[in-house]
Amino acid sequence: MENVALVVGARGVIGTNLVEHLASLPDWRVIGLSRRGGTDVPGQVRHVAVDLLDPDDTREKLSGLTGVTHVFYVAYQDRPTWAELVPPNLAMLVNVVDAIEPVARELRHVGLMQGYKVYGAHLGPFKTPAREDDPPHLPPEFNVDQQRFLEERQRGKAWTWSALRPSVVGGSALGNPMNLAVAIAVYASLSKELGVPLRFPGKPGAYHSLLELTDAGLLAKATVWAATAPAAANQAFNITNGDLFRWSELWPKLGAWFGLEVAPPLPMSLQDVMAGKEPAWKQLQATHGLAATSFAEVSSWPFADFVFGWDYDFFADASKSRRAGFHEYVDTEQMFYDIFTDLRRRRVIP
């Protein structure tokens, strides 16, 4: 039976890897939704540009997608406050389901991408390891509202839902507001070009906290697993690399990869110190013959500041997914090296 995936948010750090993974599988065709659209791969991937906040545009653009069997929702709209995140992010999901459910008669699954905000991890120290059945926290929280919508919408339907909760996702896609690995790569490259050591810029306590990450490739595999394994139907799962680390141990190794000495941590806002670094970035590109990547495409400074500010442990228990049958894992240190190598291969960094 042919599978037709609708990837909602196909150009993000998660969506890019998911589209590539699905396209590599023999029994999947992929349709990617995004505001910018993309380059089609004949017979494998088709891109559709759509404004998901506009229900009429969403309904019009999705009206002909009658063959869709699986919806993978990985879209995200950023807003200044936690409360302001709720209306647009809930509306986009509702608009997609409202548009695709009536026309996709063979719809079998709707997968939702969440995160540790469900556990209140963005608010401050939270219970670790976080587990899928931990009690909720006070709203607002769009992840919770999205899952509640799917649960209610699915009742009595033939299709199933799943919700995956990765940690910070590591990938090499550009132009995303939440790409920690790219931010580190650009920060290190500029530090080297300017002749200064690589300093950890976060809060003092963050340097020694216990963390975990989620590789985008591993997450793509987990997403397909959750959408096709009967044991995963109508449930939420934490998805992580499977190891833990502290920046105090990993940071010097990342510096060594770039050929940089590591000096003691110095708390500073990357959003502030990088505000005037676009000329330095352009000079670095000219000196090393790099690709013409705009500074905005590689700037995830607010998100990097957010992650480096976690002066508390940040990890979850992923054993539920293993008990249900997903056994993939990734070494986090090697994940960073692979991402940096890919960025260098693409001439994004020297």
Side-chain angles (χ1 to χ4, degrees):
M1 185 180 297
E2 182 182 47
N3 300 301
V4 180
L6 183 67
V7 179
V8 186
R11 297 291 299 277
V13 64
I14 295 174
T16 297
N17 281 79
L18 179 56
V19 168
E20 291 177 354
H21 176 60
L22 286 165
S24 73
L25 301 177
D27 52 349
W28 287 85
R29 285 194 297 112
V30 186
I31 303 168
L33 301 186
S34 64
R35 283 173 296 174
R36 295 175 286 170
T39 303
D40 294 349
V41 180
Q44 287 185 303
V45 182
R46 171 189 168 197
H47 285 276
V48 177
V50 57
D51 180 2
L52 297 176
L53 288 173
D54 184 338
D56 293 331
D57 187 52
T58 304
R59 190 162 44 248
E60 178 186 348
K61 298 291 179 59
L62 274 59
S63 62
L65 305 183
T66 57
V68 168
T69 58
H70 297 74
V71 175
F72 298 106
Y73 187 89
V74 298
Y76 172 76
Q77 281 265 337
D78 200 16
R79 291 293 187 273
T81 68
W82 304 125
E84 290 175 276
L85 283 171
V86 176
N89 285 288
L90 179 58
M92 289 192 297
L93 175 62
V94 172
N95 290 342
V96 168
V97 175
D98 281 349
I100 201 66
E101 191 180 25
V103 301
R105 302 297 184 183
E106 301 300 321
L107 181 65
R108 299 198 290 273
H109 189 81
V110 178
L112 174 64
M113 195 60 61
Q114 297 183 318
Y116 291 4
K117 289 185 179 70
V118 171
Y119 306 124
H122 57 305
L123 302 174
F126 63 107
K127 183 189 80 70
T128 53
R131 293 185 172 86
E132 293 86 349
D133 58 357
D134 284 349
H137 60 83
L138 280 173
E141 179 44 55
F142 74 88
N143 288 276
V144 174
D145 291 345
Q146 287 176 327
Q147 182 176 329
R148 184 180 298 115
F149 163 74
L150 274 188
E151 289 177 343
E152 294 174 353
R153 187 63 169 262
Q154 186 273 335
R155 289 194 183 101
K157 305 294 178 61
W159 54 271
T160 60
W161 64 269
S162 63
L164 298 191
R165 299 170 183 174
S167 182
V168 174
V169 178
S172 58
L174 304 181
N176 299 281
M178 297 190 296
N179 199 323
L180 180 67
V182 171
I184 292 174
V186 174
Y187 173 44
S189 298
L190 285 172
S191 295
K192 188 172 185 177
E193 195 72 8
L194 296 172
V196 299
L198 186 66
R199 293 180 182 270
F200 180 76
K203 292 181 180 179
Y207 201 50
H208 300 285
S209 296
L210 201 57
L211 297 94
E212 67 187 355
L213 299 182
T214 304
D215 175 71
L218 177 141
L219 182 57
K221 295 178 181 178
T223 303
V224 176
W225 163 78
T228 56
N234 300 329
Q235 297 180 68
F237 294 95
N238 296 326
I239 303 295
T240 71
N241 282 353
D243 58 1
L244 301 173
F245 72 95
R246 303 181 196 275
W247 288 117
S248 57
E249 181 179 2
L250 182 59
W251 196 258
K253 297 177 181 179
L254 301 184
W257 193 93
F258 287 94
L260 281 166
E261 295 292 330
V262 173
L266 180 64
M268 55 182 165
S269 166
L270 290 179
Q271 186 174 10
D272 291 341
V273 300
M274 291 296 178
K277 295 295 189 295
E278 187 167 2
W281 175 248
K282 290 181 177 178
Q283 181 58 52
L284 181 146
Q285 289 179 316
T287 300
H288 298 277
L290 302 181
T293 306
S294 71
F295 195 54
E297 284 185 281
V298 297
S299 299
S300 299
W301 310 123
F303 182 66
D305 285 340
F306 183 51
V307 174
F308 293 145
W310 293 335
D311 53 357
Y312 48 89
D313 290 347
F314 192 97
F315 62 97
D317 175 10
S319 62
K320 180 183 175 183
S321 63
R322 289 193 289 274
R323 291 193 300 272
F326 184 72
H327 302 294
E328 298 279 345
Y329 67 91
V330 168
D331 178 84
T332 297
E333 181 181 334
Q334 188 61 49
M335 179 197 78
F336 275 111
Y337 299 156
D338 290 344
I339 292 171
F340 298 156
T341 299
D342 182 57
L343 294 172
R344 182 170 285 174
R345 178 187 60 80
R346 292 157 52 197
R347 306 301 297 159
V348 176
I349 61 173

